[in-house]
Amino acid sequence: MKSAVFVLFFLAAFADAFVMTNKQKLAISSSRTPLEPMQGFFGDQERESLTRDNEPEEFFATNTDKMSDEEKIPIAIAGIVGITVPFIAGLIALYAAKY
């Protein structure tokens, strides 16, 4: 009984921690004033965004894209081995645990 009263008192004492005061409400409402659009200096146009259409093809190419297919084969084999070896090792461990 005493513990239930203590818990209720504890909850009631700290429940107001989640209630916003007038100062907090005022601070939030005053910080959300709409901003005016920023004007560029001297009428210069802003640079266009970077897209695949307005940049050279090699700009978006990764190092792997620049490699030939023969150079990519070891990477592919390492990926396949890295995925399959843990499963094969797990099957061997399960089979060995049977006997």
Side-chain angles (χ1 to χ4, degrees), residues 50-62 65-66:
L50 185 63
T51 62
R52 288 184 185 266
D53 297 333
N54 62 5
E55 288 296 323
E57 187 65 32
E58 58 270 359
F59 184 83
F60 285 98
T62 63
D65 292 337
K66 296 173 187 173

Side-chain angles (χ1 to χ4, degrees), residues 9-30:
F9 175 74
F10 182 78
L11 290 175
F14 291 104
D16 67 339
F18 300 105
V19 178
M20 293 180 70
T21 63
N22 287 336
K23 285 184 179 181
Q24 292 169 333
K25 289 179 186 177
L26 181 63
I28 289 173
S29 65
S30 65

Side-chain angles (χ1 to χ4, degrees), residues 75-96:
I75 297 171
I77 291 173
I80 292 170
V81 168
I83 291 171
T84 57
V85 166
F87 290 103
I88 293 171
L91 288 173
I92 293 170
L94 286 174
Y95 184 74

